[in-house]
Amino acid sequence: MKSYLEKLMNRESLTLEEMKQAAATSFSEQTTESELASFLTALRVKGETPEEIAGLAEIIRSQSAQTTDIPISAMDNCGTGGDGSHSFNISTTAAFVLAGAGATVAKHGNRSISSRTGSADVLEHLGVSLSFTKEHVEKMLTENNIAFLFAPNVHPAMKRFMSVRKNIGIPTIFNLIGPLTNPVALDTQLLGVYRRDILPLLAQTLHQLGRKRALVINGAGHMDEGSLAGENHIALLEEGSVTSFTLNPDEVNLPVYDNDAIKGGNAKDNARILVDVLSGKHGAHRDTVLFNAGLGLFANGTAESIRDGIRVAEESIDSGAAMEKLERLTDYSKKVSSEVI
């Protein structure tokens, strides 16, 4: 670890292989918490590169007992969090719309960290299991197009970094890494991020991680979701190249809503919003989900344009397909729980 730390202190970036070696070393009990803190701080001060972020993500993924390479084309639509918007669970709701539209979604998520209610909180309230095994996940992905992977269950080795991150007290590479560590091999991804300045950086990181196509978005008001409040900033990864553009609601025939219109509450409140949207209730929540699902379907390649993706997302909801994906996931969760008992 010392040699890598010295290189970072000299403001020299690590190669992909060097970062993978440093990350692997950091999981060793021989590496002290003070060394970890120095390493993370030095990375932050220098500024992380796509190779460094991808190297850490690859090692975290390899440490998971649920790492899988089943032969399906899967995506995720998990965001980094940290935007302070306190919105309802937009990407979680949109995940079921994506699945209902034919995309296979390995939904990776956690409990609330910076918001009132995380994806795990709302799904647990709805009856979705947080303790799926690798076999459970693979079954749901192949038979239901969607499964939920609870981050602490998937990445138990990450516990040793929690106190280090807390003691440092500043954002580190770990504030970006969560959506990149899905143990399912992903072909495509929609990634929301609270920092607008790193959209191309994360798009390049996704290329390093082998994504064939991806969208990285920072919404109006700096949300880590697509927002209908105004201008959204987007980086598109396609065939190894990154292009940037902006998108406003009127360009995709959706109304404008202030971000206050999509604020959420506790797990019970957000579960109700999720069910209302999947049941067809109209309003700001539905339109925001349609926007994000449209972005996801475009990122996945299921739709040729974002407008087309929104149209397909409407069909997913109005046909009942999206709700069916939730019901099958909760029914399977009950079955798994009864087998354990």
Coordinates of all heavy atoms in Angstrom, one line a residue, residues 3 12 48 53 82 90 103-104 150 166 169 172 182 202 212 222 258-259 289 307 315 336:
S3 N 3.7 2.0 -1.5 CA 4.1 2.5 -2.8 C 3.0 3.2 -3.6 O 3.3 4.2 -4.3 CB 4.7 1.4 -3.6 OG 3.7 0.4 -3.9
E12 N 0.3 11.4 -9.0 CA 0.4 10.5 -10.1 C -0.8 9.5 -10.0 O -1.0 9.0 -8.9 CB 1.7 9.8 -10.1 CG 3.0 10.6 -10.2 CD 4.2 9.8 -10.1 OE1 4.2 8.7 -10.6 OE2 5.2 10.3 -9.5
E48 N -9.9 11.3 -8.8 CA -10.0 9.9 -9.3 C -10.1 9.9 -10.8 O -10.8 10.7 -11.4 CB -11.1 9.1 -8.6 CG -11.1 9.0 -7.1 CD -11.8 10.2 -6.4 OE1 -12.0 11.2 -7.1 OE2 -12.1 10.1 -5.2
I53 N -11.4 4.3 -10.5 CA -12.7 4.0 -10.1 C -13.1 2.6 -10.5 O -13.6 1.8 -9.8 CB -13.7 5.0 -10.6 CG1 -13.4 6.4 -10.1 CG2 -15.1 4.6 -10.1 CD1 -14.2 7.5 -10.7
G82 N -27.1 11.1 -2.6 CA -26.3 12.2 -2.2 C -26.8 13.6 -2.7 O -26.1 14.6 -2.6
I90 N -37.6 7.0 -7.2 CA -37.9 7.1 -8.6 C -37.3 5.9 -9.4 O -38.0 5.3 -10.1 CB -37.3 8.5 -9.2 CG1 -38.0 9.6 -8.5 CG2 -37.4 8.5 -10.7 CD1 -37.3 11.0 -8.8
A103 N -36.9 -5.1 -20.5 CA -35.5 -5.1 -20.1 C -35.3 -6.0 -18.9 O -36.2 -6.2 -18.1 CB -35.1 -3.6 -19.7
T104 N -34.1 -6.5 -18.7 CA -33.8 -7.4 -17.6 C -33.0 -6.5 -16.6 O -31.9 -6.0 -16.9 CB -32.9 -8.6 -18.0 OG1 -33.7 -9.4 -18.9 CG2 -32.6 -9.4 -16.7
F150 N -29.5 -6.5 -2.4 CA -29.3 -5.6 -1.3 C -27.8 -5.5 -1.0 O -27.2 -6.5 -0.7 CB -30.1 -6.2 -0.1 CG -30.0 -5.4 1.2 CD1 -30.1 -4.0 1.2 CD2 -29.8 -6.0 2.4 CE1 -30.0 -3.3 2.3 CE2 -29.7 -5.3 3.6 CZ -29.8 -3.9 3.5
K166 N -16.4 7.1 7.8 CA -17.1 8.0 8.8 C -16.0 8.9 9.4 O -16.3 10.1 9.6 CB -17.8 7.2 9.8 CG -18.6 8.0 10.8 CD -19.3 7.1 11.8 CE -20.1 7.9 12.8 NZ -20.9 7.0 13.7
G169 N -14.7 11.9 7.1 CA -15.7 13.0 7.1 C -15.8 13.8 5.9 O -16.5 14.8 5.9
T172 N -15.6 10.5 -0.6 CA -14.5 9.8 -1.1 C -14.9 9.0 -2.4 O -16.1 9.1 -2.8 CB -13.9 8.8 -0.1 OG1 -14.8 7.7 0.1 CG2 -13.5 9.4 1.2
N182 N -22.3 -3.7 -9.0 CA -23.3 -4.8 -9.1 C -22.6 -6.1 -9.5 O -21.9 -6.2 -10.4 CB -24.3 -4.4 -10.3 CG -25.6 -5.2 -10.3 OD1 -25.6 -6.4 -10.1 ND2 -26.7 -4.5 -10.4
L202 N -17.6 9.3 -15.3 CA -18.3 8.1 -15.0 C -18.7 7.3 -16.2 O -18.7 6.1 -16.2 CB -19.5 8.4 -14.1 CG -19.1 8.8 -12.6 CD1 -20.4 9.0 -11.8 CD2 -18.2 7.7 -12.0
K212 N -21.6 -1.9 -22.7 CA -21.7 -1.7 -24.1 C -22.3 -0.4 -24.5 O -22.1 0.3 -25.5 CB -22.5 -2.8 -24.8 CG -21.8 -4.2 -24.7 CD -22.6 -5.3 -25.2 CE -21.9 -6.7 -25.0 NZ -22.8 -7.8 -25.5
H222 N -29.7 19.4 -9.8 CA -28.6 18.5 -9.5 C -29.0 17.2 -8.8 O -28.4 16.6 -8.0 CB -27.5 19.2 -8.6 CG -26.8 20.3 -9.3 ND1 -25.7 20.1 -10.0 CD2 -27.1 21.6 -9.4 CE1 -25.3 21.2 -10.6 NE2 -26.1 22.2 -10.2
D258 N -41.9 21.3 -10.6 CA -40.8 21.6 -9.6 C -40.4 20.4 -8.9 O -41.3 19.5 -8.7 CB -41.4 22.7 -8.6 CG -40.3 23.2 -7.8 OD1 -40.0 22.6 -6.7 OD2 -39.7 24.3 -8.1
N259 N -39.2 20.3 -8.5 CA -38.7 19.1 -7.8 C -39.5 18.9 -6.4 O -39.5 17.8 -5.9 CB -37.2 19.2 -7.5 CG -36.4 18.8 -8.8 OD1 -36.9 18.2 -9.7 ND2 -35.2 19.3 -8.8
V289 N -41.4 9.1 -13.4 CA -41.0 7.7 -13.6 C -41.0 7.4 -15.1 O -40.1 6.7 -15.6 CB -42.0 6.7 -12.9 CG1 -41.8 5.3 -13.4 CG2 -41.8 6.9 -11.4
R307 N -37.9 9.5 -26.5 CA -39.3 9.6 -26.7 C -40.0 8.3 -26.9 O -41.1 8.0 -26.3 CB -39.6 10.5 -27.9 CG -39.5 12.0 -27.7 CD -40.0 12.7 -28.9 NE -39.9 14.2 -28.8 CZ -40.3 15.0 -29.7 NH1 -40.9 14.6 -30.8 NH2 -40.2 16.3 -29.5
E315 N -46.8 2.0 -21.9 CA -47.5 0.7 -22.2 C -47.2 -0.3 -21.1 O -48.0 -1.1 -20.7 CB -47.0 0.2 -23.6 CG -47.4 1.0 -24.8 CD -46.7 0.5 -26.1 OE1 -46.0 -0.5 -26.0 OE2 -47.0 1.1 -27.1
V336 N -39.6 -17.9 -0.7 CA -38.3 -18.1 -0.2 C -38.3 -18.0 1.3 O -37.6 -18.8 2.0 CB -37.3 -17.0 -0.8 CG1 -36.0 -17.0 0.0 CG2 -37.1 -17.2 -2.3

